[in-house]
Amino acid sequence: QVQLVESGGGLVQPGGSLRLSCAASGDIFSVNAMGWYRQTPGKQREGVETITTGGTTNYVSSVRGRFTISRDNDKNTIYLEMNDLKPEDTATYYCNLHQYDKTPHGVNYWGQGTQVTVSS
């Protein structure tokens, strides 16, 4: 099993910044990618930004120029630097780790989620 521990969420005013962290531990052996997803009540979880082991990133267009994902492979930790936060960024943010195993599509692990609230 893999454990993902997130930290860094909170309440911030519009235009403010937050930094999320996610540390992975456990049975880590063939990681493909890690990333951040977010979800609000009644909506589907959406991918915010992901990063592969090789450093390739993908992000949703709404965070372009504002959010930056980074990764410390030695520590199995990822970060999400969020700047110029907007009320629509309010959500529960989940850390994800995808790694390859014996199954065709690999396996996904999720953190417990950390709340980000952007409000004045």
Side-chain angles (χ1 to χ4, degrees):
Q1 284 294 328
V2 172
Q3 295 77 43
L4 301 174
V5 178
E6 302 134 334
S7 61
L11 172 64
V12 64
Q13 292 186 343
S17 299
L18 283 174
R19 187 187 194 218
L20 305 182
S21 300
C22 173
S25 63
D27 195 17
I28 300 169
F29 51 85
S30 184
V31 178
N32 169 42
M34 294 181 70
W36 293 95
Y37 292 70
R38 65 187 179 187
Q39 188 171 24
T40 55
K43 292 189 177 181
Q44 286 191 334
R45 190 172 296 186
E46 71 165 350
V48 177
E49 195 156 4
T50 61
I51 185 167
T52 68
T53 304
T56 301
T57 61
N58 285 287
Y59 55 86
V60 66
S61 59
S62 62
V63 306
R64 182 178 183 179
R66 301 188 298 121
F67 291 11
T68 303
I69 193 170
S70 60
R71 179 171 186 159
D72 185 332
N73 286 334
D74 291 337
K75 296 181 179 179
N76 288 316
T77 299
I78 60 169
Y79 307 93
L80 185 66
E81 190 74 38
M82 303 185 293
N83 298 312
D84 189 23
L85 282 160
K86 305 176 185 301
E88 51 264 39
D89 294 317
T90 296
T92 301
Y93 284 69
Y94 295 92
C95 178
N96 169 269
L97 181 149
H98 176 264
Q99 71 175 359
Y100 297 113
D101 61 5
K102 297 180 181 179
T103 63
H105 301 293
V107 60
N108 281 295
Y109 296 94
W110 295 93
Q112 78 285 359
T114 185
Q115 180 66 35
V116 171
T117 302
V118 184
S119 176
S120 55

